[in-house]
Amino acid sequence: RISNLVIQANHLLQQRSEASLKNAIEFSRQAIQLQPGHAQAFAVLADAYLGYADFRPPEETAGLLELARQSARKASELNPNL
């Protein structure tokens, strides 16, 4: 189940539309809820937040970039080889 969520999130991430990035964020978050130590889910989440920020108004960008930074840091802590 967790692997499927991460695979789906990664697939959506590659589409790079606002809707697909929003869904990638949701799938990644679901995977993290099921397995909080899943580094790849955090990495996909970070990338999805970065991409999603491009579609959002300027007042939302800083918050999304901070979430991306936090997610990337967590992915790196869990697996420095990512």
Side-chain angles (χ1 to χ4, degrees), residues 8-80:
Q8 288 176 336
N10 197 45
H11 176 73
L12 290 163
L13 180 66
Q14 302 309 313
Q15 294 177 18
R16 294 286 182 192
S17 71
E18 183 176 9
S20 68
L21 290 164
K22 186 175 182 180
N23 286 329
I25 290 168
E26 182 57 35
F27 282 126
S28 297
R29 291 169 81 186
Q30 287 178 28
I32 291 164
Q33 282 182 328
L34 292 171
Q35 186 175 338
H38 200 290
Q40 185 63 37
F42 277 102
V44 172
L45 182 59
D47 202 5
Y49 277 133
L50 282 175
Y52 190 59
D54 289 339
F55 292 96
R56 306 307 303 155
E59 60 270 11
E60 293 180 26
T61 302
L64 289 166
L65 294 178
E66 177 60 23
L67 290 170
R69 186 183 65 76
Q70 291 172 8
S71 298
R73 181 185 300 139
K74 184 66 174 179
S76 180
E77 288 172 5
L78 292 168
N79 183 350

Side-chain angles (χ1 to χ4, degrees), residues 1-11 31 38 40-41 44:
R1 170 130 168 92
I2 294 163
S3 294
N4 287 338
L5 288 169
V6 175
I7 289 168
Q8 288 176 336
N10 197 45
H11 176 73
H38 200 290
Q40 185 63 37
V44 172

